[in-house]
């Protein structure tokens, strides 16, 4: 095998996005939330003769010297990274450097990446060796594609954590399973990763955590599973072993993940997650309206009191971050007020409020196309400055478009008023039962962060300091063990407060545009 220098390049996320936590990262001296798990997983399958370096463009600048060093560039990411991926591709090719593109967006929309020399699509574990052999045999371009949902996750290697500079990140991702058993109409997870969740064995997963521990990481680890509880049987075997693993090492990690709301129905699972130091879970609630949930096939959220379900998760010491969507066909003009009421009742401080987006290859985009409502040429990543909170609705809406946009704006403005956000946080903190939770070993770096955060939130930031003092005092009086969660959610407001203002202004502009040009929008839809 010929020696090669391979540069992995993780594209930049668009700037105005909910998830980039930019201001919070700056406040605590980090550069971005999380590293590229897909790229470092793929890197672990490259031959040892290939020397690999990683440039995460969210943390470091990609220089001409980096490109001059490389014999091959490998890049790719999500839809929101498309503009950056294209720019990387062109910059490499202008220098005569061959480019390999893979990852979720290229897998969903390969036709957009025709400038790449090689496309390596899908979960690449079964086919990466074919690609490597082709490159080694002098093949200069090609397309390699894994059969969907067929990858045996037991073949997923331990990611190359050694390629990361841990100082850049708030958290590190790991993955236990791929796929989700549900059928939500707008979801592309089930198109990319399938409906049969494939889980790693406990031994495989613990070996990954061993590697992360040995590499020196301590603190927040995020299980990036599509639905952590998708394969409950495997999870119930794994979690007790994870709890033992943590105990034996004096609790070096604390975990977050993503799961469906039916987690609230399984008290055994909640207890196991609590024992394994889970402190947060992202849940897609999407709508407060039962008929909308039925129409969008989010059946796991129906026939239940959503606020009560959230509170059951709080009672296990785990706080909920929730996703909501505006723009469903069946919603009416009360969407902003009814969703706002649910968010208040459930006391969920952090809510991602997105516009419905018909992602490529989803049931939703297929239906809208059949109905003649999907915008054919709508570029979802066009202005490189937003995510689903400000971009989306790439179809003719049932309600007037300006009304949908105005409702999304009103909801974001209301939910992120400091007194609302911190009011919900105080109620959440009282409901959070943190018994048996072991914060990850505090390091000097954590203390430094806490001091910086304390200064920022309690002294320097005039917009929130009153609310933060009230929250800290309330928490100290009523539930001191929940202080860590309260601080975390406070820290995230440093980004979310300004982001909400940015999103509201962007939605305001779009509302005015939709008001001014309703005819043009309909023509674009049918043309
Ligand atoms: C963690 C995660 C995030 C994290 C990102 C952390 C980070 N730095 O990467 C956060 C929370 C920030 C995030 C946010 C968003 N995300 Co996201 N996210 C994920 C999630 C759950 C896991 C990603 C991961 O690490 N997977 C594990 C690795 C091992 O899998 P993988 O990335 O697919 O990699 C494999 C292959 O694709 C391949 N591969 C990957 N890269 C490359 C590159 C090359 C060159 C090659 C050859 C192969 C290759 O090798 C790997 C092994 O097989 C995925 C779902 C998923 N199952 O992947 C969604 C997912 C990637 N996200 C998605 C979306 C839409 C978003 C958002 C836009 C959501 C929103 N509503 O706003 C935001 C935007 C972010 C922003 N800042 O604007 C979509 C992407 C769809 C698309 N067509 O691009 C996904 C698929 C799921 C979904 N439907 O929500 N996300
Ligand atoms: S529960 Fe989440 S991952 Fe599963 S199908 Fe629905 S939206 Fe997709």
């Amino acid at each position: 095998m010929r020696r090669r220098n391979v540069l992995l390049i993780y594209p930049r996320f668009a700037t105005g996005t909910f998830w980039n936590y930019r201001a919070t990262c700056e406040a605590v001296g980090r550069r971005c939330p999380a590293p590229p798990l897909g790229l470092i997983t793929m890197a672990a399958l490259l031959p040892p003769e290939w020397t690999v370096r990683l440039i995460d463009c969210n943390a470091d600048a990609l220089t001409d010297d980096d490109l001059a060093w490389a014999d091959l560039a490998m890049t790719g990411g999500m839809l929101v990274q498309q503009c950056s991926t294209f720019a990387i591709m062109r910059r490499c090719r202008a220098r005569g450097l061959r480019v390999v593109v893979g990852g979720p967006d290229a897998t969903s929309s390969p036709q957009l990446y025709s400038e790449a020399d090689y496309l390596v699509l899908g979960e690449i574990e079964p086919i990466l060796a074919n690609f490597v052999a082709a490159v080694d045999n002098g093949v200069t371009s090609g397309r390699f594609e894994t059969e969907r949902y067929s990858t045996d996750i037991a073949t997923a290697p331990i990611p190359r954590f050694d390629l990361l500079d841990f100082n850049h990140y708030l958290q590190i991702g790991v993955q236990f399973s791929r796929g989700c058993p549900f059928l939500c109409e707008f979801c592309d997870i089930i198109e990319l990763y399938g409906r049969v969740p494939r889980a790693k064995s406990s031994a495989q997963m613990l070996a990954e955590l061993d590697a992360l521990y040995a590499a020196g990481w301590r603190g927040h680890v995020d299980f990036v599973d599509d639905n952590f509880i998708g394969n409950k049987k495997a999870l119930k075997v794994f979690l007790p072993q994870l709890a033992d693993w943590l105990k034996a090492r004096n609790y070096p990690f604390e975990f977050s993940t993503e799961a469906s709301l039916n987690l609230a129905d399984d008290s055994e699972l909640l207890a196991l997650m609590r024992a394994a130091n889970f402190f947060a879970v992202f849940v897609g609630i999407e709508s407060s309206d039962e008929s909308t949930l039925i129409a969008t096939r989010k059946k796991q959220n129906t026939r239940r009191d959503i606020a009560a379900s959230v509170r059951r998760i709080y009672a296990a010491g785990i706080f909920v971050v929730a996703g909501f969507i505006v723009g469903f066909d069946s919603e009416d003009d009360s969407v902003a007020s009814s969703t706002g009421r649910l968010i208040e009742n459930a006391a969920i401080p952090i809510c991602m409020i997105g516009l419905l987006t018909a992602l490529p290859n989803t049931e939703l985009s297929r239906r809208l196309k059949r109905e003649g409502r999907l915008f054919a040429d709508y570029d979802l990543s066009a202005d490189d400055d937003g995510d689903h909170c400000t971009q989306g609705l790439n179809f003719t809406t049932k309600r007037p478009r300006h009304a949908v946009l105005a409702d999304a704006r009103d909801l974001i403005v209301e939910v992120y008023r400091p007194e609302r956000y911190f009011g919900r946080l105080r109620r959440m903190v009282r409901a959070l039962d943190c018994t048996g939770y072991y914060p990850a070993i505090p390091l000097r770096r954590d203390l430094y962060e806490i001091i910086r955060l304390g200064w920022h939130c309690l002294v320097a930031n005039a917009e929130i300091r009153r609310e933060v003092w009230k929250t800290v005092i309330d928490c100290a009086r009523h539930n001191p063990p929940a202080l860590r969660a309260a601080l975390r959610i406070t820290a995230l407001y440093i980004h979310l407060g300004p982001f909400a203002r940015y999103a509201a202004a962007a939605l305001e502009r779009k509302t005015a545009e939709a008001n001014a040009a309703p005819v043009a929008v309909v023509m674009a839809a049918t043309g």
Side-chain angles (χ1 to χ4, degrees):
M1 174 94 33
R2 227 191 93 190
R3 294 193 172 278
R4 273 172 217 280
N5 288 342
V6 178
L7 193 62
L8 308 183
I9 311 172
Y10 196 48
R12 209 175 47 77
F13 284 105
T15 41
T17 66
F18 181 92
W19 293 111
N20 69 24
Y21 292 146
R22 185 170 299 262
T24 302
C25 290
E26 278 167 16
V28 297
R30 305 294 173 93
R31 297 194 183 167
C32 52
L37 181 60
L39 273 179
I40 63 168
T41 302
M42 189 267 302
L45 292 166
L46 295 174
E49 292 81 4
W50 291 15
T51 305
V52 179
R53 281 179 52 212
L54 168 72
I55 302 287
D56 178 348
C57 297
N58 301 286
D60 281 313
L62 174 66
T63 65
D64 286 343
D65 285 348
D66 296 324
L67 297 174
W69 169 85
D71 302 315
L72 190 67
M74 302 187 81
T75 187
M78 309 180 202
L79 189 57
V80 280
Q81 293 164 286
Q82 210 178 75
C83 289
S84 173
T85 313
F86 290 166
I88 291 164
M89 228 160 52
R90 284 172 198 149
R91 194 167 155 199
C92 293
R93 298 207 66 216
R95 301 179 59 101
L97 179 60
R98 265 191 249 287
V99 190
V100 188
V101 178
D105 193 46
T107 301
S108 272
S109 308
Q111 73 286 359
L112 300 179
Y113 292 89
S114 53
E115 282 177 58
D117 296 284
Y118 311 88
L119 281 176
V120 185
L121 305 175
E123 297 168 53
I124 46 73
E125 284 82 355
I127 53 156
L128 201 68
N130 301 348
F131 157 76
V132 168
V135 173
D136 210 45
N137 289 330
V139 177
T140 54
S141 64
R143 178 170 163 148
F144 304 81
E145 195 159 0
T146 309
E147 193 191 325
R148 297 254 168 136
Y149 329 139
S150 67
T151 299
D152 177 0
I153 200 166
T155 61
I158 294 179
R160 289 274 313 267
F161 297 118
D162 60 296
L163 294 173
L164 304 177
D165 180 342
F166 287 149
N167 292 317
H168 292 341
Y169 303 107
L170 291 174
Q171 68 200 45
I172 303 294
V174 295
Q175 189 181 45
F176 177 59
S177 68
R178 296 181 187 160
C180 173
F182 292 111
L183 268 172
C184 307
E185 193 194 24
F186 52 82
C187 180
D188 69 343
I189 287 279
I190 43 184
E191 310 286 335
L192 283 166
Y193 304 99
R195 289 198 54 223
V196 181
R198 290 158 286 139
K200 292 175 183 168
S201 68
S202 303
Q204 188 182 0
M205 196 63 241
L206 292 177
E208 275 186 39
L209 294 175
D210 276 332
L212 185 57
Y213 181 78
W217 179 254
R218 299 291 181 274
H220 182 177
V221 175
D222 184 38
F223 275 90
V224 302
D225 296 37
D226 306 313
N227 184 353
F228 191 56
I229 65 165
N231 184 337
K232 284 189 180 183
K233 201 171 153 210
L235 192 58
K236 285 182 179 178
V237 173
F238 169 58
L239 285 173
Q241 297 186 39
L242 175 59
D244 291 344
W245 184 95
L246 285 168
K247 193 171 174 200
R249 288 159 189 78
N250 198 17
Y251 299 93
F253 299 151
E254 43 196 347
F255 299 107
S256 61
T257 192
E258 175 163 342
S260 43
L261 191 55
N262 54 317
L263 168 63
D265 308 336
D266 193 330
S267 47
E268 182 197 354
L269 200 49
L270 282 169
L272 290 172
M273 285 176 69
R274 175 211 288 269
N277 243 15
F278 277 77
F279 69 90
V281 60
F282 178 91
V283 177
I285 292 179
E286 326 302 7
S287 175
S288 57
D289 174 36
E290 179 95 358
S291 58
T292 296
L293 291 169
I294 292 169
T296 199
R297 302 198 211 146
K298 193 104 200 171
K299 77 165 179 69
Q300 67 275 26
N301 290 8
T302 60
R303 282 177 301 172
R304 65 168 69 242
D305 178 339
I306 291 178
S309 300
V310 169
R311 282 175 189 280
R312 278 204 293 280
I313 301 177
Y314 289 167
I318 299 171
F319 70 74
V320 170
V321 175
F324 292 89
I325 296 177
V326 179
F328 289 113
D329 284 357
S330 49
E331 75 193 17
D332 61 25
D333 292 344
S334 69
V335 62
S337 54
S338 56
T339 312
R341 250 193 327 273
L342 171 60
I343 290 171
E344 286 297 316
N345 285 343
I348 308 170
I350 305 175
C351 300
M352 158 151 181
I353 296 155
L355 295 169
L356 183 61
T357 305
L359 289 168
N361 310 315
T362 51
E363 276 304 317
L364 176 65
S365 52
R366 288 188 278 271
R367 172 171 68 79
L368 292 168
K369 192 167 180 197
R370 277 197 309 274
E371 294 172 2
R373 294 168 58 202
L374 188 68
F375 294 174
D377 298 322
Y378 190 101
D379 186 350
L380 279 169
S381 69
D383 62 11
D384 189 28
D385 193 20
D387 59 9
H388 293 173
C389 300
T390 53
Q391 295 178 22
L393 298 187
N394 52 335
F395 56 92
T396 309
T397 49
K398 279 268 162 94
R399 288 195 300 141
R401 192 175 186 80
H402 63 85
V404 177
L405 290 163
D407 283 337
R409 178 205 56 203
D410 290 352
L411 188 56
I412 288 180
V413 168
E414 191 54 26
V415 163
Y416 285 101
R417 282 187 206 291
E419 63 279 16
R420 288 258 180 257
Y421 184 89
F422 288 97
R424 295 195 300 276
L425 174 53
R426 287 190 287 275
R427 281 180 280 124
M428 184 210 89
V429 153
R430 289 197 191 193
L432 211 58
D433 178 356
C434 295
T435 320
Y437 174 69
Y438 298 91
I441 304 164
L443 296 173
R444 220 177 309 152
R445 196 185 58 190
D446 287 12
L447 280 176
Y448 171 69
E449 277 178 12
I450 290 169
I451 293 165
R452 277 178 75 141
L453 270 178
W455 169 257
H456 182 98
C457 299
L458 293 164
V459 183
N461 190 327
E463 187 201 3
I464 58 170
R465 65 183 171 219
R466 193 167 167 272
E467 290 294 332
V468 178
W469 275 111
K470 268 170 75 177
T471 305
V472 169
I473 293 167
D474 196 79
C475 184
R477 281 183 57 201
H478 297 285
N479 192 5
L483 195 58
R484 195 170 171 95
L487 288 179
R488 274 206 156 100
I489 295 174
T490 298
L492 293 177
Y493 192 81
I494 301 172
H495 165 67
L496 294 172
F499 171 74
R501 286 194 289 278
Y502 157 84
L507 290 166
E508 180 81 48
R509 266 193 321 276
K510 292 193 176 197
T511 307
E513 283 162 20
N515 253 326
V519 180
V521 169
V522 173
M523 281 175 62
T526 50

